[in-house]
Amino acid sequence: MPIARRHHVVPRFYLSRFADNRAQLRRVPLGDSKSHLIAVGDATVQTDYFAVEGDAGPADAFQGQLSGIEGKGRGCARAPARRAGVADFDG
């Protein structure tokens, strides 16, 4: 199984709530850079952000643990959204 290298610093399901109907966000960099549209799948992504080097080489066990926690968080965020009549999370 390949090692996960692209890591969302902000969970993708959360970013999806702010995206347009094409799953894009407007990125506004700090400084003099101009804003631009970016796909939710590419927003807040850092390569090898959670990478851990083990005896057998790079490993992504930490990322796997975080993904499990993120999945539970997504479930927790769904219940109040549904009660409030807000559409479900897309990502």
Side-chain angles (χ1 to χ4, degrees):
M1 184 176 207
I3 302 274
R5 299 207 54 214
R6 292 173 38 95
H7 309 288
H8 280 88
V9 179
V10 177
R12 187 176 179 160
F13 79 86
Y14 188 74
L15 293 172
S16 295
R17 301 298 295 158
F18 300 96
D20 64 15
N21 60 352
R22 296 179 301 158
Q24 293 187 322
L25 301 163
R26 177 150 305 270
R27 176 185 273 173
V28 181
L30 298 176
D32 294 334
S33 299
K34 294 188 178 198
S35 68
H36 59 278
L37 291 175
I38 187 168
V40 170
D42 294 328
T44 74
V45 169
Q46 296 290 320
T47 302
D48 294 331
Y49 189 74
F50 297 116
V52 177
E53 190 71 32
D55 292 338
D60 61 353
F62 186 64
Q63 171 63 27
Q65 293 293 319
L66 289 176
S67 292
I69 293 167
E70 182 180 312
K72 291 177 183 177
R74 180 179 182 192
C76 292
R78 277 183 168 163
R82 284 185 182 155
R83 283 195 296 275
V86 177
D88 199 5
F89 293 102
D90 297 334

